[in-house]
Amino acid sequence: MTSSIAMQSKPSSVEMKQSRTPYLAAFILLAIVGATLPLWVTGNPFLLMLASHAVIAAIVALSLDLLTGNTGLLSFGHAAWYGFGAYLAGLLSKNFSAEMVLIIPLTIVAACLVAAVVGAILVRQIGKTFAILTLALSQIFYALVFVLSDQTGGEDGLQGIPMATLFGNTVASSQAWYWLLYGVLIISLGGALYLRTTPLGRAWLAIRENTERASFIGVNTGALKLIAYVFSAGLASLAGALFVLFNGAVSPDVLHWFESGKILMYVVLGGVGTIVGPVFGAALFTFLEHYVSSYTDAWLIYFGGLFVLIVIVAPGGLFGIGRSIYARFKTGKGQTT
Amino acid sequence: MTLEIHGLSRRFGGLKAVNDVTTTIADKSIHSIIGPNGAGKTTLFNLITGALAPDEGKVAFNGNDITGWTPERLAHAGIARTFQRTSIFKELPVIENVALAVRSRRGLNRSMFCSMAQEKAIREESREILARVGLNGKENIRAGSLAHGFQRALDIAIGLALEPKIMLMDEPLAGMSRGDRETVATLITRLREELGVAIVVVEHDVGMVMRLSDRITVMQHGKVIAEGPPSVIREDEAVKNAYLHGNFAA
Ligand SMILES: Nc1ncnc2c1ncn2[C@@H]1O[C@H](COP(=O)(O)OP(=O)(O)OP(=O)(O)O)[C@@H](O)[C@H]1O
Ligand SMILES: [Mg+2]
């Protein structure tokens, strides 16, 4: 028996071609430009350093998108986990070992454990409450740096971090560092893209779309949000650990709310929930920040303006703009043939 | 399957939205809940499905006390619902709306791995469920761009994907054309006959309710004012009064 529900539906139903092409194109572009960068900036060590910082920023951006892009939970204090990783890895390398293979996993595990405890409370909150509590958390971590200043160096920052080793070999050259960081970014990016295709990743999107409905189809929304929060904190702490080992020092600025704001801007600039977008957003932001701030002290005003513009005009961020250009190009081509 | 509701109550401030409701939903039955606007029908659904906690009373499912269970736990136990205001995943493709529920039923929500074969089986199953509610051919459309009636059908399909033993539908016919209402009514009878799902329907169209239901519970001001098979309800004085006072949006 047929049961087609004969409704006066508009014939122009939008087909959802879940096209992977733009994702793939962006991914390949990123991979090629990124991987070969040290080769074409040999004469400019500064540029390579800036690129390394951009890669670290990209990992943090990715970590926030794991949370916000997947579950819709907006964090105003994501620097908490970035700073946590930086300080913990810094302290471990000063007091325990400079071997990355040891201290980085330790740092990530510690961050995940703490995040699981803190997150269990946080993810029960929604919307504004969650955002405010994440901000409060980052302020607590920030304050802790000063409270424990004989360990952390307080305002002066944590200094004198020994050269990190990887399987016993000192990582000194800036090329080696760049490729190491870049490798971590690509693996993280691949992991985040993969997660999106798994049942967990799809259930996360269901939570972002309609949390209430998700729970009525049997999704334990609290548990899944917590998983996202822990993954996100873990990846942010990895970025922080890499940063401190690369940089050789860390100051409390990494825990400042301003840093959290920047991380959020990377994600919004790139396109919330697009995974690849925030990576580009972070890279672009890092370069722009450097060049614009060398021209004018008022760079923050321009960035604030840009931020507002993006939120209003292109809420999909760079990635959204790219996708619509691609779509227009494609339909345009279709019409001419 | 039986769902027993004992003395269920819920207050909102001074208002007793649901006031000492007791009833039993029999296995494989179509049980309608009718009553004027604000009678407490949706609130009753919310109490049964874990969206709201009752102030007093108890809900038992197959003899087990399920009062205070979370919606996700109830979903896995076999209690599904649809919403008075259509609740779907608007930005996702139609088929993914259903596939999410299929995966959830299969216990995959936290899975970080799913083989191609398994995902294919999930999509195949989702396709069959969509065909059941007349959404075949619309699998890849963005759910939010479906016409209203199709969105309501998708809401039902999502619930069905849980393979529920009982399904609570809050005004599944609301806002539909006459033809569409017939289609959904037929669908409801078929679900009971082919899948053996007990169905609790809130509906304002009394004619439709009379035709469809095995049993009818009439609510007013949070209380059950009458209950019985359609033939009894049709003759009930209290129900007639409720009509005469023009409270019914029949
Ligand atoms: N979350 C809430 N907070 C406060 N009051 C509520 C809430 N939900 C429902 N109410 C009130 O409880 C009463 C019962 O509402 P309910 O939605 O259950 O009625 P209903 O029978 O479903 O009505 P309708 O036919 O209009 O859908 C109404 O007076 C309503 O305003
Ligand atoms: Mg209602």
Side-chain angles (χ1 to χ4, degrees):
Chain A
M1 130 176 246
T2 61
S3 60
S4 68
I5 299 180
M7 264 142 256
Q8 314 90 311
S9 80
K10 283 175 279 175
S12 60
S13 324
V14 187
E15 276 275 331
M16 279 201 107
K17 288 213 192 88
Q18 284 281 68
S19 171
R20 295 228 162 74
T21 322
Y23 286 88
L24 208 63
F27 191 73
I28 290 169
L29 182 71
L30 175 80
I32 292 171
V33 172
T36 56
L37 192 81
L39 304 178
W40 40 274
V41 297
T42 42
N44 192 343
F46 175 76
L47 202 58
L48 193 60
M49 196 181 77
L50 194 60
S52 298
H53 281 290
V55 170
I56 294 171
I59 301 172
V60 196
L62 191 59
S63 79
L64 180 57
D65 204 35
L66 265 181
L67 177 70
T68 302
N70 280 326
T71 65
L73 287 169
L74 190 60
S75 172
F76 283 158
H78 205 58
W81 300 109
Y82 179 59
F84 179 96
Y87 270 96
L88 185 59
L91 287 168
L92 282 172
S93 78
K94 276 184 84 165
N95 302 316
F96 169 60
S97 160
E99 177 54 57
M100 281 193 235
V101 181
L102 286 177
I103 58 179
I104 289 183
L106 270 176
T107 302
I108 296 173
V109 169
C112 288
L113 287 176
V114 181
V117 175
V118 176
I121 303 159
L122 289 186
V123 298
R124 285 164 205 263
Q125 318 301 325
I126 48 164
K128 275 179 288 197
T129 318
F130 179 84
I132 289 165
L133 287 180
T134 54
L135 180 61
L137 177 73
S138 73
Q139 290 303 103
I140 291 171
F141 283 12
Y142 183 72
L144 270 179
V145 170
F146 294 91
V147 172
L148 306 171
S149 55
D150 38 338
Q151 283 294 313
T152 62
E155 199 164 351
D156 300 333
L158 188 63
Q159 313 262 358
I161 286 155
M163 285 268 213
T165 60
L166 184 64
F167 297 108
N169 309 306
T170 308
V171 187
S173 92
S174 49
Q175 273 90 352
W177 259 113
Y178 176 82
W179 269 312
L180 177 74
L181 295 170
Y182 185 73
V184 172
L185 172 64
I186 291 299
I187 292 167
S188 313
L189 188 55
L193 287 169
Y194 168 73
L195 269 180
R196 170 100 4 135
T197 69
T198 65
L200 173 66
R202 292 165 189 266
W204 274 337
L205 289 189
I207 293 174
R208 185 182 76 182
E209 267 287 298
N210 188 343
T211 309
E212 186 195 38
R213 190 61 166 129
S215 66
F216 280 97
I217 60 168
V219 176
N220 186 336
T221 55
L224 262 68
K225 283 177 184 177
L226 184 58
I227 296 172
Y229 188 74
V230 169
F231 279 17
S232 169
L235 188 58
S237 77
L238 168 63
L242 290 168
F243 168 75
V244 75
L245 299 176
F246 168 68
N247 198 48
V250 57
S251 83
D253 286 351
V254 294
L255 282 162
H256 197 264
W257 58 263
F258 182 62
E259 186 70 25
S260 295
K262 259 168 55 172
I263 300 170
L264 194 57
M265 279 181 76
Y266 303 156
V267 175
V268 173
L269 181 65
V272 182
T274 61
I275 302 174
V276 175
V279 167
F280 280 110
L284 184 72
F285 190 103
T286 307
F287 280 92
L288 277 180
E289 179 186 17
H290 174 73
Y291 289 107
V292 179
S293 66
S294 65
Y295 281 111
T296 163
D297 287 337
W299 66 275
L300 251 179
I301 297 175
Y302 297 112
F303 274 64
L306 180 68
F307 188 75
V308 171
L309 195 71
I310 287 196
V311 169
I312 294 171
V313 178
L318 290 177
F319 192 86
I321 296 171
R323 187 158 47 186
S324 50
I325 290 173
Y326 171 84
R328 195 161 299 172
F329 171 73
K330 233 182 101 173
T331 47
K333 217 170 56 175
Q335 278 159 0
T336 51
T337 47
Chain B
M1 192 290 325
T2 51
L3 186 81
E4 293 160 88
I5 297 155
H6 296 286
L8 216 53
S9 295
R10 169 77 196 209
R11 265 182 305 273
F12 293 116
L15 175 80
K16 282 207 158 187
V18 169
N19 191 353
D20 196 19
V21 169
T22 298
T23 185
T24 298
I25 314 296
D27 195 19
K28 300 186 171 56
S29 64
I30 296 180
H31 190 132
S32 294
I33 299 183
I34 60 173
N37 292 111
K41 306 176 298 289
T42 299
T43 306
L44 180 63
F45 268 25
N46 286 337
L47 294 174
I48 297 170
T49 58
L52 283 174
D55 295 324
E56 279 153 58
K58 189 179 128 177
V59 185
F61 183 53
N62 295 332
N64 302 317
D65 188 349
I66 56 163
T67 323
W69 282 26
T70 58
E72 60 261 27
R73 192 168 171 206
L74 291 168
H76 288 291
I79 300 180
R81 74 174 290 183
T82 65
F83 292 77
Q84 184 166 354
R85 287 193 54 199
T86 313
S87 185
I88 56 175
F89 305 101
K90 286 203 159 101
E91 296 301 323
L92 303 179
V94 168
I95 190 166
E96 179 62 10
N97 273 259
V98 174
L100 279 165
V102 173
R103 283 188 214 105
S104 179
R105 193 193 74 235
R106 295 184 177 202
L108 294 173
N109 285 333
R110 293 178 214 186
S111 169
M112 282 181 248
F113 178 77
C114 185
S115 70
M116 297 268 238
Q118 194 174 21
E119 182 61 25
K120 207 174 151 216
I122 290 165
R123 293 179 73 82
E124 200 41 56
E125 194 184 331
S126 307
R127 237 178 264 284
E128 282 165 22
I129 296 164
L130 286 172
R132 201 174 265 289
V133 302
L135 284 171
N136 38 324
K138 301 197 164 20
E139 288 85 357
N140 297 319
I141 292 171
R142 196 183 71 97
S145 60
L146 287 174
H148 171 78
F150 286 125
Q151 291 196 19
R152 301 223 55 121
L154 180 58
D155 203 343
I156 296 174
I158 295 170
L160 281 182
L162 299 171
E163 291 189 347
K165 298 184 187 70
I166 181 168
M167 188 143 162
L168 295 92
M169 302 186 184
D170 201 347
E171 303 196 20
L173 312 179
M176 287 189 179
S177 70
R178 189 140 281 285
D180 294 341
R181 296 161 81 86
E182 282 303 326
T183 318
V184 175
T186 316
L187 175 65
I188 290 171
T189 17
R190 273 179 49 225
L191 294 180
R192 184 261 297 272
E193 263 139 41
E194 294 168 16
L195 304 175
V197 190
I199 293 169
V200 187
V201 196
V202 169
E203 181 46 48
H204 284 294
D205 180 341
V206 176
M208 184 72 90
V209 165
M210 293 292 169
R211 205 149 53 77
L212 218 59
S213 319
D214 303 311
R215 208 171 168 80
I216 300 171
T217 299
V218 189
M219 288 180 73
Q220 194 178 18
H221 305 310
K223 282 186 174 283
V224 175
I225 58 166
E227 184 172 313
S231 54
V232 171
I233 295 300
R234 196 171 286 127
E235 305 306 325
D236 190 281
E237 286 306 315
V239 179
K240 280 186 183 164
N241 277 339
Y243 279 98
L244 288 174
H245 288 95
N247 290 332
F248 263 93

